[in-house]
Amino acid sequence: MKKLFLTLIAVIATSMAGFSQITLDDAYTSLVNLPGMTEKQVDNVQLTSDAQITNLQAVVCNTSRYSQEFVYTYESLPINNMLIGANNQEEMACAFTEPAVNGVYNVLFIVGEKGGKMVAAYGQTNAAGIEAIRNCEVSMEGDQLIMAVAPQIDVVEVITMQYAQQ
């Protein structure tokens, strides 16, 4: 009886955890709507010859004031939608995806440094873009997420995402 009761609790907890997960659009919107946030439209980012991230927009938090909200957002996203994730205890970078419509996928990047800037970028790509992101080499420098995608024999296309101040 005790095992049955514990199993029932585990099933309920798992079900409730599924309800707490949010969509990428909701995650990005919640960060944009924090007081004092400024959203910037970023140009499209070409990943490979047949893949790009379009409609890219970004929001930045220049202080640690809302860093906990960025971390909470990251923790609320479904882990099975994570393409890349890196954390060296000083900086973190992650990319999530979810299908949209007609072969388009939403992507959300969260990049941040401990006690410093936190950046979220949201856009759309295709299946080739998802594969390019999934298979890239990732490094971090401050508020930059650097993705080396489509490596060839002597050529590596390097994509950097950084929130530009205007």
Side-chain angles (χ1 to χ4, degrees), residues 10 32 51 59 65 82 85 92 104 117 130-131 133 141 151 159:
V32 168
V59 64
R65 180 176 178 191
M82 182 184 278
M92 83 170 215
V104 174
K117 281 186 188 174
I130 298 301
E131 282 305 306
I133 295 167
E141 295 177 19
I159 307 300

Side-chain angles (χ1 to χ4, degrees), residues 18-87:
F19 290 124
S20 69
Q21 296 174 349
I22 58 177
T23 68
L24 301 185
D25 184 50
D26 291 341
Y28 182 75
T29 300
S30 71
L31 294 174
V32 168
N33 289 330
L34 290 172
M37 291 294 163
T38 304
E39 184 179 35
K40 300 281 185 184
Q41 187 72 32
V42 179
D43 290 334
N44 295 342
V45 174
Q46 193 72 35
L47 296 172
T48 64
S49 61
D50 60 344
Q52 65 177 338
I53 301 173
T54 60
N55 304 318
L56 195 60
Q57 30 195 340
V59 64
V60 68
C61 175
N62 287 317
T63 67
S64 60
R65 180 176 178 191
Y66 293 114
S67 60
Q68 194 59 40
E69 281 81 354
F70 278 78
V71 172
Y72 175 76
T73 299
Y74 159 77
E75 291 174 347
S76 299
L77 294 168
I79 193 72
N80 59 334
N81 289 359
M82 182 184 278
L83 291 173
I84 57 173
N87 182 341

